[in-house]
Amino acid sequence: MADGDRQRQVDTYFDSVSSYWADIYDTQSLEGVIYRHRRAIVLRWIDELALPRGSRILEVGCGAGFTTVALAHRGYTVDAVDSSEAMVELAIRLAAESHTGDTVKVFRGDATSLPVADDAYSLVVAIGVLPWLASPGTAVREMTRAASPGAHLVLTSDNSERLTRLSDPRFSPALGPSRHLLKRVLERAGLRKPHAVAELHYLRSISSIDKIIARNRLEKVETITLGFGPFSFLGRTLLPDRVGVKLHHLLQGLADRGVAGLRRAGSQYLV
């Protein structure tokens, strides 16, 4: 699929689910808990930078605008960009409702070709963006271009080494060769039609993201993986949210203490 066609499909998808992203941070679901935890860590890291008030920040893939507004409330001037028209509308509305419109500018744009000046920002933030890009390296290069010398970037990616993949034979890396062999056998027997599905969302290894970071001459300051769940078997969620949230907190606590096998096994890689 051509990159332009793929991006249009991604935009169409996010336009169709914009209400989900407007609500997810307020839910008690396991996904809501993990996303709130991810944003809390990003904001904590930013607070620790102690940037001067009025510093210019670029948020790439601003979504419904929750992080954008949180940064504006901290006294920063925020440019927020998203490729989805529905998301841009939600972010503009939230900025107006939160009375941060004077320090927030929201506009549409492509992460791989950002409509911003070089060396313009003290901080660039991209939460949950890289998994939706076929060319994450191009996007990171654009973010680096937009960042001023000595600036910081905060990036997240969906981790292909996540623990949840081990519980479901549809995703387990160890069963990959067997899955491919079974598909070929069924196709040759006429029991399964070969088909190609456009991949819109990518899980990537920590090492592949680290290589992109290194190629852009960025220095890692801090990293973490987070998010354990939901666990599934053959596409069916194994645990109710109440139990899943408790299991997530238990495993996250062990991962944060550096327990082998868990430290790099969260669903989200933050760097």
Side-chain angles (χ1 to χ4, degrees):
M1 181 186 297
D3 286 350
D5 293 337
R6 184 186 176 283
Q7 186 60 55
R8 280 189 287 274
Q9 288 202 19
V10 171
D11 294 344
T12 298
Y13 168 75
F14 275 99
D15 286 344
S16 69
V17 297
S18 59
S19 60
Y20 167 85
W21 290 105
D23 298 334
I24 188 62
Y25 286 96
D26 291 328
T27 72
Q28 298 306 310
S29 68
L30 176 56
E31 285 185 317
V33 168
I34 291 173
Y35 287 138
R36 282 197 297 274
H37 188 184
R38 181 178 68 177
R39 188 180 63 174
I41 289 177
V42 168
L43 291 173
R44 174 170 61 81
W45 283 356
I46 294 171
D47 289 342
E48 290 171 354
L49 295 177
L51 298 173
R53 288 183 65 86
S55 295
R56 294 190 67 193
I57 295 177
L58 173 65
E59 184 181 10
V60 181
C62 64
F66 295 109
T67 303
T68 299
V69 167
L71 294 172
H73 280 151
R74 284 162 165 76
Y76 301 124
T77 300
V78 187
D79 286 352
V81 59
D82 202 289
S83 60
S84 162
E85 183 176 358
M87 290 298 191
V88 168
E89 291 175 355
L90 286 174
I92 291 173
R93 187 184 313 157
L94 184 63
E97 292 172 351
S98 61
H99 307 292
T100 58
D102 291 343
T103 55
V104 168
K105 179 182 177 182
V106 186
F107 50 93
R108 288 190 72 185
D110 184 344
T112 61
S113 182
L114 291 169
V116 299
D118 296 354
D119 305 330
Y121 299 95
S122 300
L123 172 69
V124 179
V125 181
I127 304 175
V129 176
L130 300 187
W132 298 94
L133 301 176
S135 303
T138 303
V140 174
R141 186 167 66 247
E142 276 290 277
M143 296 176 205
T144 305
R145 174 186 65 78
S148 60
H152 289 79
L153 277 69
V154 178
L155 309 171
T156 79
S157 180
D158 284 9
N159 183 17
S160 64
E161 302 162 27
R162 57 180 62 186
L163 184 65
T164 54
R165 291 173 71 87
L166 300 180
S167 69
D168 198 322
R170 297 186 311 156
F171 306 118
S172 173
L175 297 177
S178 300
R179 287 196 301 271
H180 294 312
L181 176 60
L182 178 59
K183 289 178 182 179
R184 287 198 299 269
V185 170
L186 292 175
E187 289 171 3
R188 290 173 181 173
L191 300 176
R192 181 180 187 272
K193 293 182 179 180
H195 63 287
V197 178
E199 186 68 68
L200 298 182
H201 177 268
Y202 296 95
L203 304 182
R204 294 185 171 93
S205 67
I206 290 173
S207 61
S208 69
I209 298 300
D210 284 350
K211 288 178 182 177
I212 291 172
I213 290 169
R215 282 199 298 267
N216 284 278
R217 300 182 179 180
L218 298 168
E219 178 185 351
K220 287 193 298 181
V221 176
E222 191 165 359
T223 68
I224 189 175
T225 71
L226 69 86
F228 292 88
F231 291 91
S232 64
F233 183 79
L234 297 179
R236 294 182 177 272
T237 302
L238 294 175
L239 302 171
D241 273 341
R242 177 177 56 82
V243 178
V245 168
K246 290 182 178 179
L247 179 59
H248 157 70
H249 286 310
L250 172 64
L251 294 174
Q252 189 66 57
L254 295 173
D256 291 345
R257 291 197 290 274
V259 173
L262 292 177
R263 185 175 59 85
R264 293 168 58 94
S267 63
Q268 307 284 317
Y269 179 45
L270 282 65
V271 56

